[in-house]
Amino acid sequence: MAVRSSMWLEYQIEANWTSPVIFILYNTLKPVGGSLLLLAMYYVVTGGFLGGESLYFLYIGNAFYMLVAQTLFNVGWIIHDDREHYQTMKYIYISPLSYFMYLMGRSAMRFLLSLLPLSVLIFLGVFLKIPYHIEVLLLLGTFFLGWIFVISSGLLLSGINMLTARHGNSVGQAFSGIFYLFSGVVFPINVLPGWASKAALGMPSTYWFSLVRRSVLGKEVDSIMSGFTTGEVAVRLIIISVLFFVISYLTFRLADYLARKKGILDMTTTY
Amino acid sequence: MTQKGLRRVLPSQRVDAIACEHVDRIFESKNRTVQALNDVTITVKKGELFGLLGPNGAGKTTLIKILTTLLLPTSGKAHVYGYDVTRDENKIRPIINMVSGGEYSGYGLLTVRENLWMFSQFYGIPGKEANQRIKTLMERLGIANMGDRKIRTLSTGERQRVSIIRAFMTEPQVVFLDEPTLGLDVETARLIRRFIQEWLEKDSERTVLLTTHYMMEADELCSRIAIINEGKIVALDTPSGLKNMVKKEISLNIEIFPEIKVDWLNNLDGVIGFNSKDAGGNLSLRVVVEHDAAVGEVLAGINQHGGKISYLNKEEPTLEDVFLKLTGRGLE
Amino acid sequence: MNVMLNLRALKGRAYPRMIGAVREPSWMFWETFLPILSMAAYVYVYRSLDAPKEFEGFVILGGVMTTYWMNVLWGMASQLYWEKETANLQLYLAAPMSKMSILAGMALGGMFSTSVRCISIIVMGVIIFKVDFVVTNAGLLLGIFGVTLVALYGMGMVFASLFLMWGREAWHLNMIMEEPIYFLSGYSFPVKALGSLSLFATVIPFTLGLDAMRQLTFPSMATQWGLVSPHLELVILLVMSIILLYLARVSLDRMERMGRSKGTLTMRWQ
Ligand SMILES: Nc1ncnc2c1ncn2[C@@H]1O[C@H](COP(=O)(O)OP(=O)(O)O)[C@@H](O)[C@H]1O
Ligand SMILES: [Mg+2]
């Protein structure tokens, strides 16, 4: 019930303010822009050639990254918006609906809504002649694990937001940059300096993006990640995701406690 | 002052501080149209403390917004110090300021003093001078020791004092106070009222337009009062002039046990208006009637409807009764 | 126009921005450290493709200019809307100063944190990625940089009033003004690669500014990837600045007028 109503709220805020056409346009312009940016980079380096493994790698990685980025972009606002804009945080907080479940519901809805631009990008990939080789079951499992990963990140971010000021920029967007750089999204992780590619192996997102490539392209080209079988990647992802969720959850709880202790649940911090 | 300077000041002295002529304001949205102001005509002279009294939704804030150049009238003319609010907003803004009760502005990360300083800069007050004025006013309003606190950590009353300082530190000619004592305790409200009165006394050119739905406040402070209901000015006079309107009438305060329905009062001859409040199982009723005969009928009616009277008092007419008489309903 | 009044107003609004940055150092993490990470990803994309070193430098410069763009969007364009939501806008409007000085104050006040980020980006480029900037004409470079900023913030002022009139949550709009604009302006690649589209892209002030700055810091790439000569770009940018500042004034007036007649300037949450 709690989750349902917060999902409904997210839908109202994010989708129900305009016509479906504008909604789709508005939600796909950003991801499409991001993909075009990468394609242009590829284009200038190869001297006008758009094809090859590296291109498919970065195109698919970037498309699925949008799922992470868009969800976090929105989740990054929830706390600050509820607290300082609508000033409803304290009312939601004292309602029987747990704030945790509320956040879960809102991020779940956003995740679902972000599937739309993702499918647009996958469709556009056909024009790039991306050799799709979709393993449906694996892809479904990947979506589910991805969702766990994204809501864990959202929870961690929300915990931090409870204690920090509202800055101008979207903190969610900045936060997702960590995953963009350290998870082999648009380039293989062996390009990173040694310490960073080791760190990448500790991130759930690295395994998730590997699963994405395996389920959409039917293979893994990242030289480090292809050392693992699909099963190994999945198991590692599950273990690290569970750990990540627990850490995020505990952080959120701690932040929640500290916020009440410091009396900053309803602070306003604009400047 | 030179001859020329004098002449430049003189004409404006004859001008009224505020003048509204047939001001209408209509809000249109997709599914409804609200006429917030309906043919409002008032003039406020310099030096006056003019009150606008009316229930929630009467249009008080709308009129203030028009006069503070935040909103255009749909039709009619409004002038502040002789300047047209529609065209001359740049001449009006330097000489006015405003406070909206219950609304706090500024930035959460700044201290009280910093927030005030920032607003003073929007009026071009030199830094030193601004700090001096802020200091004096903070002392005057009893929050001298709160300059370094964040607004968030202040109580409602303290915040409202900060808003008052924000408005008065720019030394405006006309101040608009929209329910300035909303939600404040008796003592803070009194402090603010006294401050407003003293501020006015210091200079005969200063003018205040104050809105309120507290009867007593309007009665105590204002030299003249306009009563506004559903966008219309229904009466305009001095407080005593207004009360004279109901001199002949009789006001009754009645406590009834248990809580009974009183809508039958509407059909009773001689009843001018009434207002009833739930008072913890009892009904607290205020009735204004035309003559003694009606008093008996009211009391008999209460009996008939199964109510027992636990308290009965005849009172001097108040502004509330004026309002009851004019609109047939209570203010609060 | 009262110059002293507007200078004071500008200072007044810049102050909270500067104080905010000092008092809430968490912005260092959010607005400097994290955004640099996403930018670094583009550098690694070039590395994974064995691109010439200069392209990495292009990304660094793109990172600098988009930082200002972000500041324009988040610190300015969406700000009037935000001020309305926090009940400050009505006090700003009822005050005698020009609304442009308020916006300029926001921009200047935000310049501190923005510049910290830009310097960090350049330092990272030079130290970590070992990018070699070859500055041939420092005066022209600085001139172009300055004029680009004026045009950029002029555009921000136009957006500020448009966003407010639009009346929708301004960050919805900000969101679509990021990646698509990055693409059109050639954030991470030379804009000339867009062919005739690049002509269209030059309405975004930092497209030309960025292109000129790249020509002036990586002369080896100038002939292949430069759009037009930096001098010409400077002239165009100057004209754009004037037009944009004028438009800013007009649109702020229009916004105020429209808001006053519709009664939307003081209403929150819509
Ligand atoms: N911006 C607006 N849009 C639509 N209706 C409005 C707006 N502002 C006020 N109203 C309506 O105008 C009427 C008068 O409101 P207001 O002036 O705020 O009353 P008061 O201040 O006396 O309580 C109310 O019915 C209110 O709903
Ligand atoms: Mg009101």
Side-chain angles (χ1 to χ4, degrees), chain C residues 15-262:
Chain C
Y15 179 76
R17 279 286 166 89
M18 274 171 326
I19 284 296
V22 176
R23 248 171 231 168
E24 261 296 334
S26 57
W27 67 267
M28 283 282 240
F29 179 71
W30 295 117
E31 303 200 337
T32 299
F33 179 67
L34 288 183
I36 287 184
L37 292 187
S38 340
M39 198 201 68
Y42 290 125
V43 173
Y44 284 114
V45 169
Y46 277 132
R47 290 216 172 156
S48 75
L49 300 175
D50 293 322
K53 198 82 191 148
E54 285 83 353
F55 283 129
E56 292 176 24
F58 282 8
V59 174
I60 300 290
L61 282 184
V64 170
M65 292 319 279
T66 46
T67 295
Y68 288 102
W69 179 243
M70 294 274 272
N71 186 235
V72 163
L73 290 180
W74 295 102
M76 199 166 181
S78 51
Q79 275 299 308
L80 286 184
Y81 173 78
W82 179 252
E83 301 285 2
K84 182 180 85 171
E85 298 295 299
T86 48
N88 286 329
L89 185 66
Q90 50 175 329
L91 294 177
Y92 287 171
L93 288 172
M97 79 290 177
S98 145
K99 308 323 158 221
M100 274 175 100
S101 36
I102 289 293
L103 286 169
M106 288 175 186
L108 274 177
M111 209 60 104
F112 169 63
S113 52
T114 310
S115 302
V116 168
R117 179 157 146 195
C118 287
I119 291 166
S120 313
I121 290 175
I122 291 173
V123 167
M124 183 188 75
V126 172
I127 293 180
I128 299 182
F129 295 123
K130 310 243 164 5
V131 169
D132 250 337
F133 295 99
V134 186
V135 180
T136 46
N137 187 342
L140 186 59
L141 182 66
L142 280 176
I144 285 177
F145 177 70
V147 177
T148 306
L149 288 193
V150 172
L152 210 51
Y153 283 93
M155 192 171 218
M157 290 188 192
V158 177
F159 282 172
S161 35
L162 288 181
F163 280 23
L164 187 68
M165 280 195 263
W166 188 296
R168 252 296 139 188
E169 312 222 333
W171 30 99
H172 278 155
L173 293 166
N174 275 352
M175 201 161 147
I176 56 172
M177 296 264 200
E178 291 185 341
E179 276 80 355
I181 297 293
Y182 294 170
F183 167 66
L184 285 176
S185 62
Y187 161 20
S188 53
F189 62 91
V191 72
K192 197 177 183 183
L194 293 180
S196 48
L197 196 58
S198 58
L199 211 71
F200 177 68
T202 52
V203 285
I204 308 150
F206 73 95
T207 307
L208 283 178
L210 188 54
D211 184 72
M213 286 162 67
R214 280 174 176 161
Q215 294 188 48
L216 292 170
T217 46
F218 300 100
S220 54
M221 300 299 248
T223 34
Q224 192 189 350
W225 291 115
L227 212 50
V228 285
S229 95
H231 285 98
L232 180 58
E233 286 174 326
L234 177 64
V235 173
I236 300 174
L237 281 167
L238 267 172
V239 175
M240 275 176 90
S241 306
I242 295 165
I243 294 176
L244 281 167
L245 285 177
Y246 172 75
L247 276 181
R249 239 189 101 160
V250 172
S251 64
L252 279 166
D253 282 349
R254 284 285 280 280
M255 171 275 294
E256 191 182 329
R257 205 77 195 158
M258 208 171 107
R260 284 175 72 198
S261 83
K262 283 198 184 160

Side-chain angles (χ1 to χ4, degrees), chain B residues 25-29 32 34-37 54-63 65 71 178-179 211 228 231, chain C residues 262-264 266-267:
Chain B
R25 174 67 217 199
I26 294 166
F27 288 110
E28 282 181 77
S29 55
R32 61 184 204 128
V34 180
Q35 174 134 28
L37 292 177
N56 288 328
K60 305 183 295 292
T61 302
T62 304
L63 185 58
K65 280 182 186 163
L71 190 66
D178 193 6
E179 316 219 22
T211 78
I228 183 169
Chain C
K262 283 198 184 160
T264 49
T266 51
M267 259 164 110

